[in-house]
């Protein structure tokens, strides 16, 4: 019975049994890094869009819970929140470009 894709070795391997993660979606480390890039870029351009994207990517990168072992995702979440707040203040007119907000 070693033919047709069935080998006795693959049946005994623990990796061939049910996996605990989805192979179709991006992994958490990638989401953390994407969120971090969006948060940093949001300070310079399109903060109102990239801030919430960074928050969502950071939250999903942390596994939808506050986990301190996913540092890039945590930093992306915090910077995305700061970026969103600054963009909202700028849109409300509290800080106009050229008047020295920063």
């Amino acid at each position: 019975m070693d033919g047709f894709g069935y080998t006795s070795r693959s049946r005994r391997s623990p990796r061939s049994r049910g996996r605990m993660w989805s192979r179709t979606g991006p992994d958490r480390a990638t989401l953390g890094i994407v969120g971090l890039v969006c948060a940093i870029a949001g300070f310079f351009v399109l903060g109102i869009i990239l801030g919430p994207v960074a928050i969502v990517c950071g939250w999903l990168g942390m596994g939808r819970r506050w986990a301190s072992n996913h540092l890039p995702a945590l930093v992306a979440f915090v910077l995305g929140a700061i970026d969103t707040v600054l963009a909202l203040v700028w849109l409300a007119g509290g800080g106009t470009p050229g008047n020295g907000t920063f």
Side-chain angles (χ1 to χ4, degrees), residues 2-23:
D2 284 339
F4 301 110
Y6 177 80
T7 61
S8 59
R9 183 174 180 266
S10 67
R11 283 295 285 171
R12 286 184 276 148
S13 175
R15 294 189 64 115
S16 65
R17 295 186 194 143
R19 298 191 183 269
M20 297 184 66
W21 65 88
S22 172
R23 297 199 50 125

Side-chain angles (χ1 to χ4, degrees), residues 47-93:
I48 194 68
I49 296 170
L50 292 177
V53 170
I55 291 172
V56 169
C57 287
W59 182 253
L60 293 175
M62 287 188 294
R64 298 185 188 132
R65 64 186 189 284
W66 291 103
S68 62
N69 56 352
H70 300 290
L71 189 62
L74 182 64
V75 171
F77 185 84
V78 171
L79 287 180
I82 293 170
D83 190 24
T84 303
V85 168
L86 288 177
L88 289 174
V89 167
W90 182 76
L91 282 175

Side-chain angles (χ1 to χ4, degrees), residues 17-38:
R17 295 186 194 143
R19 298 191 183 269
M20 297 184 66
W21 65 88
S22 172
R23 297 199 50 125
T24 58
D27 60 344
R28 291 181 182 162
T30 304
L31 282 172
I33 293 171
V34 167
L36 189 60
V37 168
C38 287

Side-chain angles (χ1 to χ4, degrees), residues 90 95-101:
W90 182 76
T96 57
N99 280 347
T101 302

